[in-house]
C-alpha cells in the first residue's frame, strides 16, 4: 500500500483532457485506492484490496482517519504508521521549504486548492501566492503535528527514535525546518520570494 499511496496522480490513457497529474490532487488518494483495486488482483493479492483501499486514506485528507472503518486496532496502527511516515518524510526533507514554494503551490493551483468554494457560492482565497503559502506553512506544520501526528496517529512518530538510538532525526529536521522558516519570515528575508531556502 505504501508504495502505491500516490499512484492516483498518474494519468490514465483515456484521460486526454488532463494535462497534469496535479489536477487530481484533491482526489488522488481515492484514485490510488482504485489503482490498487485493479492492480493487486493481477499479482495474486486480491485479498489485500479492501484493506489497502482503506489504509491508503491515512496518507490523505479526503477522509478523517476516525471515519475509516477497520476490523482491528492493529489495522488502525498500520494506517497510522503509513500516515506518519508520509508526513514526517515530507516535512523533514531538507528542501521541504523550497518544494512548498516552487512545487507544492503550482500543484495546488492545478488541483484547484488555492481557493475554496463556500456553501453560499462565494469563494475564499486560501493561498494568494507561493510566498503566501510559505507564510502559512509554520502554522500548518504545527497543526499537523498536533492534529495528525499526535492526534489521529496517536504519537506513533515517537517510535522512530528507537531506530536512531534515541534521537528522532525526522522530527528534529522537521522542527528545524519550521524554526528556520519562522526566522526568515520574521526577518522578511527576500529568500522567501525566489532564492534557495536550504537551511544551514
Amino acid at each position: 500500500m505504501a508504495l502505491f499511496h500516490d499512484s492516483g496522480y498518474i494519468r490514465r490513457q483515456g484521460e486526454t483532457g488532463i494535462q497534469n497529474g496535479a489536477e487530481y490532487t484533491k482526489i488522488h488518494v481515492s484514485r490510488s485506492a482504485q489503482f490498487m483495486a485493479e492492480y493487486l488482483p493481477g499479482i495474486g493479492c486480491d485479498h489485500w484490496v479492501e484493506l489497502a483501499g482503506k489504509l491508503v486514506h491515512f496518507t490523505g485528507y479526503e477522509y478523517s482517519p476516525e471515519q475509516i472503518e477497520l476490523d482491528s486496532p492493529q489495522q488502525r496502527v498500520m494506517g497510522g504508521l503509513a500516515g506518519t511516515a508520509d508526513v514526517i518524510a515530507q516535512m523533514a526533507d531538507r528542501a521541504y521549504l523550497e518544494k512548498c514554494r516552487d512545487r507544492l503551490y503550482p500543484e495546488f493551483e492545478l488541483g484547484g486548492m488555492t481557493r475554496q468554494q463556500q456553501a453560499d457560492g462565494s469563494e475564499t482565497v486560501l493561498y494568494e501566492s507561493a510566498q503566501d503559502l510559505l507564510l502559512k506553512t509554520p502554522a500548518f506544520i504545527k497543526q499537523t503535528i498536533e492534529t495528525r501526528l499526535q492526534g489521529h496517529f496517536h504519537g506513533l512518530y515517537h517510535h522512530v527514535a528507537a531506530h536512531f538510538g534515541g534521537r528522532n532525526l525526522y522530527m528534529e529536521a522537521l522542527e528545524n525546518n519550521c524554526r528556520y522558516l519562522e526566522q526568515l519570515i520574521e526577518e522578511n528575508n527576500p529568500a522567501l520570494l525566489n532564492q534557495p531556502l536550504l537551511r544551514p
Side-chain angles (χ1 to χ4, degrees):
M1 180 273 299
L3 291 175
F4 298 110
H5 81 280
D6 277 340
S7 59
Y9 283 111
I10 302 171
R11 291 176 293 166
R12 295 171 180 263
Q13 287 182 331
E15 295 171 334
T16 55
I18 301 298
Q19 299 301 312
N20 191 300
E23 295 178 47
Y24 292 123
T25 298
K26 286 183 180 179
I27 58 168
H28 81 276
V29 179
S30 288
R31 284 172 54 86
S32 297
Q34 181 61 37
F35 176 85
M36 289 188 289
E38 297 171 8
Y39 176 74
L40 292 176
I43 59 170
C45 294
D46 49 301
H47 55 289
W48 288 112
V49 168
E50 183 179 358
L51 180 58
K54 292 180 178 181
L55 296 183
V56 73
H57 281 285
F58 280 79
T59 68
Y61 293 85
E62 292 177 54
Y63 301 101
S64 169
E66 272 63 39
Q67 294 178 293
I68 302 169
E69 295 183 5
L70 296 167
D71 294 333
S72 69
Q74 290 82 2
Q75 290 179 356
R76 193 158 297 280
V77 170
M78 289 171 62
L81 288 171
T84 296
D86 189 41
V87 167
I88 64 176
Q90 288 183 49
M91 291 186 171
D93 187 341
R94 200 158 187 271
Y96 174 67
L97 304 180
E98 287 180 312
K99 287 180 177 180
C100 284
R101 182 191 65 198
D102 302 336
R103 301 286 184 266
L104 186 60
Y105 180 75
E107 179 181 310
F108 278 4
E109 282 191 304
L110 288 166
M113 297 181 66
T114 59
R115 300 169 183 271
Q116 187 175 56
Q117 196 80 22
Q118 303 301 323
D120 63 2
S122 63
E123 194 174 64
T124 300
V125 176
L126 301 178
Y127 304 108
E128 295 179 355
S129 63
Q131 184 179 13
D132 185 42
L133 185 147
L134 276 182
L135 294 175
K136 294 171 178 173
T137 294
F140 175 74
I141 292 174
K142 292 173 183 177
Q143 180 187 22
T144 298
I145 293 172
E146 180 180 347
T147 304
R148 289 183 75 76
L149 294 181
Q150 285 279 64
H152 295 318
F153 305 149
H154 306 290
L156 288 169
Y157 68 89
H158 291 293
H159 295 288
V160 173
H163 179 71
F164 295 109
R167 288 178 62 188
N168 194 324
L169 299 184
Y170 278 93
M171 291 304 294
E172 287 179 22
L174 183 161
E175 290 162 357
N176 284 342
N177 277 337
C178 189
R179 281 193 295 268
Y180 181 54
L181 179 54
E182 287 178 319
Q183 177 187 331
L184 293 176
I185 292 171
E186 185 178 348
E187 296 170 353
N188 198 23
N189 195 304
L192 290 170
L193 292 173
N194 54 20
Q195 297 176 29
L197 293 171
L198 291 178
R199 56 182 169 77

